[in-house]
Amino acid sequence: ERYADLAASHSEALRQREEREWHNARLRQENARLRLENRRLRRENRCLFRQALLGPGPDKPPADPGEEAEALRAQLGRLQEKHRRALRHLRRCRAAGAPEASAAEEGELEELLLEEDEQP
């Protein structure tokens, strides 16, 4: 009976380990996907920032400043919402015991989380 209990306990431990490994693999995939999305958004942000600095090209008529400001406000709102969602996701991953990030990433994440907490 004792050996049966030990065997059942061992089987349960193995099952839990496999489940944790599967969950960690899924989190790593999600992390990779989010990193790619982050890179894409940074490139898009740089491109949009350059466009805003350079202004309209010679073949484009100058945009109405009011319309341009409204479009930029709307875009800023969308980017801030994406940022908030990404931070919430990172918090959930941390709470779920996701693998530790590198020291640089951990510092950057802490800084972002602190900034987010300080904002009203």
Side-chain angles (χ1 to χ4, degrees):
E1 185 178 320
R2 181 157 185 229
Y3 287 119
D5 286 346
L6 287 173
S9 177
H10 181 70
S11 295
E12 178 63 19
L14 289 175
R15 186 193 64 74
Q16 287 178 356
R17 179 180 173 198
E18 288 174 2
E19 189 176 306
R20 270 193 318 275
E21 288 174 356
W22 176 84
H23 184 69
N24 285 342
R26 192 172 58 81
L27 288 174
R28 279 191 292 275
Q29 287 176 340
E30 178 70 9
N31 193 16
R33 185 189 67 75
L34 289 172
R35 284 178 195 271
L36 289 173
E37 176 72 5
N38 193 14
R39 281 190 208 120
R40 185 189 66 76
L41 289 172
R42 282 184 181 163
R43 281 193 305 269
E44 182 181 331
N45 190 24
R46 280 193 301 271
C47 180
L48 291 171
F49 187 70
R50 269 191 227 109
Q51 288 174 0
L53 285 178
L54 297 175
D59 57 338
K60 295 181 184 176
D64 177 29
E67 288 178 20
E68 186 177 358
E70 185 58 36
L72 288 173
R73 272 193 288 278
Q75 183 180 12
L76 176 62
R78 288 189 304 272
L79 289 173
Q80 285 173 330
E81 180 56 31
K82 283 183 179 182
H83 181 255
R84 279 191 291 275
R85 283 195 314 258
L87 287 176
R88 280 195 304 266
H89 178 75
L90 285 171
R91 282 187 179 118
R92 284 193 305 270
C93 288
R94 261 188 164 184
E100 291 300 319
S102 71
E105 291 170 341
E106 191 67 27
E108 184 179 354
L109 175 59
E110 287 298 325
E111 188 177 311
L112 288 172
L113 291 173
L114 286 174
E115 285 177 15
E116 182 69 15
D117 290 340
E118 289 172 359
Q119 293 178 0

